[in-house]
Amino acid sequence: MPKKRIYLDNAATTPVDPAVLKEMMPYFSKKFGNPFSVHSFGQEAKVAIDNAREQVAKFLGCSAEEIFFTSGATESNNWTVNGILKSVKQSLIAQKTGSQFSPHLIISAIEHHCVLNSSLAAQKAGVKLTVIRPKRNGAVSVNDVASAIGENTVLISIMYVNNEVGTIQPIKEIGEVVKRVKSERAKNGSKLPIYFHTDAVQAANYLNCKVDYLGVDLLTLSAHKIYGPKGIGCLYIRRGIKIGPSQYGGEQESNLRAGTHNVPGIAGLGKAIALIEKHKKSLPKMKKLRDKLINEALKIESSQLNGSRELRTPNNANFSFKGVEGESLIISLDMTGIAASTGSACSSASLEPSHVLTAMGIPAEIAHSSLRLTLGKDTTERDINYVIKTLPPIIERLRKISGRK
Ligand SMILES: *Cc1c(COP(=O)(O)O)cnc(C)c1O
């Protein structure tokens, strides 16, 4: 392993902040109680959960009862899709109109696989699905979403920020469209609900996530993308929304998400969220370093930036270097100590190019040559200078080997 290691894969996961770890520690051994127990051991664990719920609610501008802890964003997103469809079907069956009705779901083509694959599974089970392609810059058009909405649409799920290209989506504007549809339906006496969900996992560090500002009914967060622990996340569910449970069992999370609480994880999620404001102080510097990285990398021959330059979170840089195989580039960078990732998901043995880059209209060959570098709050100028120095000769060498450009 090289002596120097530089982590530029913060969109995949982030290290736990020392203050978050400190917050979690007592709940592993000293305050190990089950929050559902009546005795003092249980009660001190319950205090931690109540406190974390308040911290998340404050961040989202909602009330604590609207926050539901899950095992992460994958569960929150699966729960949203399956739980909403289930409750709509149940209420239609109760009204005896269920059999001939097929609910309609709208998502974007650049959603994380947990939204994409749960929606495709729902489609196989008879749900009508519309998948909206983004524009070339990676942003979904508000008009495309508006015109996809039909009388049977019950759920729209569009991510706030894409994890591969960092493109910021027009969530507030889509929220306004959905609000208009809601009031039209109310005027027409329609009983069919329409809900708007956003996966805000990659937005939390950078953008306004207040649910009323965004006009969302459901919102997903994950701790390990915001300097918290892995295996913990939450789903915001607006008061009054009918949703089926994520899993059955005990009465945890208002009977909607059974299972003994991950108390250290929940305490860590709350602390990580409480620290976001403080960490925002590092964003101007992060953006400056990221811009320097982009400007220098684009000096390399036959290179391009994937995704919008402006509608982009400050952590993300995503390039394609024509004629360079993404996977080889990642391996070469790793040998010099630089941890990065590629959009060509060869690691999953599929050899399929990124579904995000291809949905943006980027040819498969260019998508295969992509490199994602994502900065974190602790990324330094020295780190970026090292990448700027290391990257061009690696690309030159790989192009010589492949004989392509
Ligand atoms: C990482 C990520 C997820 C999955 O989160 P987990 O908590 O690891 O399940 C979902 N959506 C986006 C946008 C992500 O970046």
Side-chain angles (χ1 to χ4, degrees):
M1 212 190 302
K3 260 186 281 169
K4 193 183 174 84
R5 286 209 302 165
I6 295 171
Y7 185 76
L8 288 172
D9 202 11
N10 286 278
T13 196
T14 55
V16 173
D17 186 278
V20 171
L21 184 61
K22 189 164 169 250
E23 190 78 19
M24 294 171 69
M25 285 310 274
Y27 301 100
F28 285 105
S29 48
K30 206 164 137 250
K31 302 184 179 184
F32 64 88
N34 184 329
F36 259 43
S37 301
V38 176
H39 47 64
S40 66
F41 291 85
Q43 291 317 296
E44 59 192 9
K46 186 172 180 296
V47 168
I49 290 179
D50 291 346
N51 181 38
R53 212 186 296 280
E54 290 291 345
Q55 286 169 315
V56 180
K58 190 174 165 213
F59 178 70
L60 296 179
C62 64
S63 71
E65 304 87 69
E66 296 171 305
I67 302 300
F68 297 81
F69 294 116
T70 64
S71 63
T74 298
E75 180 187 338
S76 296
N77 291 345
N78 272 266
W79 182 12
T80 298
V81 172
N82 296 323
I84 292 296
L85 291 173
K86 190 168 187 170
S87 90
V88 167
K89 264 193 202 135
Q90 271 172 358
S91 71
L92 289 168
I93 287 167
Q95 293 165 36
K96 295 188 169 37
T97 52
S99 53
Q100 65 276 35
F101 178 84
S102 118
H104 178 221
L105 169 63
I106 299 172
I107 63 169
S108 84
I110 57 168
E111 296 302 308
H112 191 274
H113 277 117
C114 53
V115 169
L116 213 51
N117 290 345
S118 48
S119 301
L120 290 171
Q123 185 185 35
K124 277 198 185 130
V127 168
K128 199 166 156 263
L129 176 67
T130 301
V131 182
I132 295 181
R133 269 184 66 170
K135 295 176 281 187
R136 181 74 191 218
N137 70 356
V140 168
S141 134
V142 181
N143 279 337
D144 287 353
V145 176
S147 41
I149 298 174
E151 57 178 11
N152 289 357
T153 309
V154 294
L155 178 65
I156 300 165
S157 181
I158 310 282
M159 70 200 326
Y160 198 170
V161 169
N162 178 265
N163 44 305
E164 287 189 33
V165 287
T167 309
I168 301 166
Q169 305 298 329
I171 298 306
K172 183 181 168 55
E173 290 76 11
I174 298 170
E176 280 159 13
V177 169
V178 175
K179 236 176 264 172
R180 278 203 297 278
V181 175
K182 279 179 184 170
S183 59
E184 276 162 31
R185 282 196 190 173
K187 223 168 47 202
N188 300 337
S190 164
K191 283 209 185 74
L192 194 69
I194 178 164
Y195 299 128
F196 181 30
H197 166 256
T198 192
D199 172 349
V201 168
Q202 296 284 346
N205 282 332
Y206 315 106
L207 304 174
N208 183 346
C209 288
K210 297 276 189 282
V211 291
D212 288 338
Y213 165 79
L214 294 173
V216 295
D217 300 301
L218 302 107
L219 181 146
T220 293
L221 293 173
S222 175
H224 76 98
K225 308 287 175 76
I226 54 171
Y227 308 100
K230 293 164 186 63
I232 187 75
C234 67
L235 181 62
Y236 155 79
I237 307 174
R238 190 175 286 277
R239 185 181 284 118
I241 289 182
K242 290 204 186 83
I243 186 167
S246 177
Q247 54 192 34
Y248 296 95
E251 293 179 359
Q252 288 89 357
E253 301 300 278
S254 312
N255 264 320
L256 287 175
R257 204 278 179 181
T260 303
H261 290 99
N262 172 357
V263 183
I266 291 170
L269 170 63
K271 184 67 181 180
I273 283 183
L275 286 173
I276 286 176
E277 253 342 284
K278 192 183 134 206
H279 291 160
K280 276 188 178 160
K281 289 197 191 84
S282 70
L283 296 184
K285 183 184 149 212
M286 183 190 285
K287 185 171 183 302
K288 216 177 114 216
L289 294 179
R290 192 277 314 270
D291 287 342
K292 182 176 180 182
L293 175 62
I294 290 179
N295 291 337
E296 291 301 317
L298 290 182
K299 286 180 186 164
I300 298 171
E301 212 184 314
S302 301
S303 60
Q304 70 174 54
L305 181 72
N306 298 316
S308 167
R309 177 100 203 216
E310 296 78 31
L311 290 171
R312 189 179 203 109
T313 48
N315 62 322
N316 181 292
N318 187 313
F319 307 100
S320 282
F321 301 102
K322 206 172 172 193
V324 176
E325 215 263 300
E327 202 77 352
S328 313
L329 182 52
I330 299 306
I331 292 165
S332 299
L333 284 170
D334 189 44
M335 289 195 289
T336 70
I338 299 168
S341 77
T342 175
S344 54
C346 298
S347 49
S348 67
S350 64
L351 283 166
E352 287 293 312
S354 147
H355 72 287
V356 173
L357 299 180
T358 44
M360 285 161 59
I362 294 172
E365 193 209 333
I366 304 292
H368 260 308
S369 68
S370 69
L371 171 70
R372 182 186 72 178
L373 296 164
T374 45
L375 287 70
K377 66 182 171 66
D378 300 321
T379 304
T380 65
E381 177 140 35
R382 275 183 71 184
D383 296 341
I384 296 303
N385 287 343
Y386 181 70
V387 176
I388 288 168
K389 195 178 79 190
T390 311
L391 187 60
I394 290 178
I395 288 173
E396 198 179 331
R397 184 171 56 79
L398 291 174
R399 278 179 174 160
K400 269 208 191 104
I401 295 168
S402 75
R404 283 178 298 163
K405 191 179 276 181

